[in-house]
């Protein structure tokens, strides 16, 4: 018979063997689960980045109070305390003049003052009201009121004189971001005042801050581009405003046909093409943007592929291309009946197109004259495009051709 010591040894050996067998079975299973989850995570991450495209564009206009203050806590304002208080008071008084326009404001989160988005027409009315008070005011997609005051500020700065100007920017959710640009004693700064809203249209001061600028520039076409000394939260080293007005019809054409297209993710806008060589510019990286134009929603991709039915339906509307051509050039897989589809996250201030003129052609097509604006390089005339569009009665349209010409910057090269 076994003594107690032998039984203990046998039991320990049994436990060890069981643990080894358990590990041998479990580790491959854990690794499989891990990599499956990781793959799914990456797919969802891409989708999440796409879903947040407009929010990221809006958030770069706003300040993140806590982290922003940490970044610039050592910056000393060139303004005296009473001057700062005066700017705060002026901003609040200007907002009070618009209180009736905010009576319907909805506060989604009282802790962080998250507000429901305002329509473009609502924001336009606020810009007009603030402009009528004599202040410089602007909002995304809306011409700046009293822009001449920015030109005067820049002229005085260029002459080495002390100068300042305040720009009231109306954010998408209705907040006021009031940036006072200062040049004093050879130093460039921004003093920032943010006004938010309570239910019933009650404005309150939510945030103030100050930061140094590296440089400012006003381009001939009317872009005011400024460079921050440090990269601020939810912002960039380079920021900009369009100062001079853009014709409303050009704004509308830009929003419908050009906004959302990329100069750096695919070559739709960066090479000359027409119906004879359209296959050269069809890339899987463009589908997410075209899908958003067509549906107003952001594409969700599983495993880097999209169903052929939706891909072919949309691409044959927006480009003069056949299904056979698509299957030849776009990574079509017959077994799964899907196409490759790669999504890019937002890249702020890469070049963007702006329609500055257009021609209605005799054959019913439209030729858009587009300037490439590249604020990161102080350029509002990086290159020019002539994009020909065919519009349809159902509101859809087809890109028929593109011609690009280099101006201030080299044309980006995108490899297919």
């Amino acid at each position: 018979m076994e003594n107690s010591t032998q039984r203990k040894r046998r039991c320990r050996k049994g436990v060890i063997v069981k643990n080894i067998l358990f590990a041998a079975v479990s580790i491959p299973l854990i690794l499989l689960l891990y990599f499956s989850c990781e793959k799914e995570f990456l797919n969802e991450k891409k989708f999440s980045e796409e879903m947040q495209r407009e929010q990221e564009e809006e958030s770069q206009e706003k300040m993140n109070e806590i982290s922003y203050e940490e970044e610039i806590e050592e910056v000393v304002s060139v303004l005296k305390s009473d001057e700062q208080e005066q700017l705060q008071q002026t901003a609040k008084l200007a907002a009070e003049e618009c209180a009736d326009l905010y009576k319907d404001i909805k506060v989604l989160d009282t802790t962080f003052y998250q507000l429901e988005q305002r329509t473009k027409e609502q924001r336009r009315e606020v810009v007009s009201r603030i402009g009528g008070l004599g202040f410089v005011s602007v909002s995304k997609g809306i011409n700046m009121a009293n822009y001449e005051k920015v030109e005067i500020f820049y002229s005085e700065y260029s002459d080495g004189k002390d100068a300042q100007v305040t720009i009231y920017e109306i954010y998408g959710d209705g907040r006021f971001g009031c940036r006072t640009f200062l040049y004093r004693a050879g130093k460039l700064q921004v003093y920032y005042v943010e006004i938010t809203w309570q239910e019933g249209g009650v404005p309150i001061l939510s945030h103030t801050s100050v930061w140094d600028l590296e440089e400012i520039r006003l381009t001939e076409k009317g872009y005011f581009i400024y460079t921050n000394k440090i990269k601020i939260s939810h912002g960039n080293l380079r920021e900009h405003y369009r100062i001079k007005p853009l014709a409303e019809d050009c704004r509308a054409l830009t929003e419908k046909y050009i906004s959302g297209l990329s100069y750096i993710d695919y070559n739709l806008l960066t090479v000359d093409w027409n119906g004879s060589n359209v296959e050269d510019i069809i890339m899987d990286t463009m589908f997410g943007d075209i899908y958003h134009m067509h549906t107003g929603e952001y594409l969700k991709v599983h495993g880097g592929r999209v169903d052929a039915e939706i891909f072919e339906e949309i691409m044959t509307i927006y480009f003069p291309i056949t299904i056979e051509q698509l299957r030849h050039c776009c990574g079509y897989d017959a077994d799964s009946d899907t196409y490759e589809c790669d999504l890019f996250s937002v890249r702020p201030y890469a070049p963007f197109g702006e329609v500055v003129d257009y021609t209605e052609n005799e054959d019913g097509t439209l030729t858009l004259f587009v300037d490439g604006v590249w604020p990161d390089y102080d350029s509002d005339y990086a290159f020019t495009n002539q994009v020909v569009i065919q519009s349809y009665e159902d509101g859809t349209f087809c890109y028929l051709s593109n011609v690009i010409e280099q101006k201030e910057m080299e044309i980006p090269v995108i490899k297919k």
Side-chain angles (χ1 to χ4, degrees), residues 111-124:
T111 303
F112 298 102
Y113 294 106
Q114 293 180 347
L115 310 176
E116 187 175 63
Q117 294 291 299
R118 311 294 283 175
T119 67
K120 185 175 181 179
E121 288 309 310
Q122 287 174 322
R123 291 185 287 111
R124 188 191 305 276

Side-chain angles (χ1 to χ4, degrees), residues 187-231:
K187 192 168 187 177
L188 275 169
Q189 277 190 345
V190 170
Y191 182 74
Y192 178 80
V193 176
E194 185 174 280
I195 301 292
T196 191
W197 296 89
Q198 293 178 321
E199 297 282 356
V202 179
I204 59 172
L205 176 67
S206 61
H207 175 57
T208 66
S209 51
V210 60
W211 68 92
D212 291 329
L213 298 182
E214 190 70 38
E215 62 179 356
I216 58 175
R217 186 189 173 206
L218 184 59
T219 67
E220 184 176 349
K221 200 170 76 176
Y223 272 86
F224 181 71
I225 303 172
Y226 59 98
T227 306
N228 302 306
K229 277 200 170 181
I230 61 170
K231 185 176 183 292

Side-chain angles (χ1 to χ4, degrees), residues 75-92:
V75 176
V76 178
S77 176
V78 298
L79 294 172
K80 297 178 181 178
S81 59
D82 60 331
E83 292 176 304
Q84 296 178 35
E85 291 174 4
Q86 181 61 48
L87 288 173
Q88 296 170 24
Q89 185 64 19
T90 301
K92 189 173 180 182

Side-chain angles (χ1 to χ4, degrees), residues 339-364:
Y339 285 85
E340 292 180 1
C341 188
D342 195 3
L343 300 179
F344 281 89
S345 61
V346 178
R347 302 179 185 186
Y349 300 154
F352 59 87
E354 179 179 75
V355 177
V356 295
D357 201 358
Y358 62 95
T359 299
E360 295 178 350
N361 305 313
E362 292 183 358
D363 61 0

Side-chain angles (χ1 to χ4, degrees), residues 131-197:
L133 298 173
F135 300 116
V136 181
S137 58
V138 71
S139 192
K140 184 178 180 180
I142 298 170
N143 284 333
M144 179 177 283
N146 300 314
Y147 72 91
E148 299 88 351
K149 293 188 176 185
V150 181
E151 293 180 319
I152 294 171
F153 162 77
Y154 188 77
S155 177
E156 292 176 344
Y157 156 76
S158 299
D159 291 338
K161 300 176 183 178
D162 287 359
Q164 73 179 63
V165 66
T166 300
I167 298 177
Y168 287 76
E169 182 175 2
I170 314 306
Y171 295 138
D173 62 0
R175 300 189 202 193
F176 285 22
C178 314
R179 290 174 177 82
T180 298
F181 292 86
L182 299 144
Y183 181 67
R184 184 176 294 185
K187 192 168 187 177
L188 275 169
Q189 277 190 345
V190 170
Y191 182 74
Y192 178 80
V193 176
E194 185 174 280
I195 301 292
T196 191
W197 296 89

Side-chain angles (χ1 to χ4, degrees), residues 4-5 13-14 53 80 124 183 191 201 244 255 268 299 315 335 341 371 386 406:
S4 59
T5 301
K13 288 176 65 178
R53 173 171 282 181
K80 297 178 181 178
R124 188 191 305 276
Y183 181 67
Y191 182 74
K244 292 182 180 179
E255 290 178 6
L268 166 60
L299 179 67
M315 295 297 279
D335 292 335
C341 188
D371 285 354
Q386 292 184 39
Q406 181 174 315

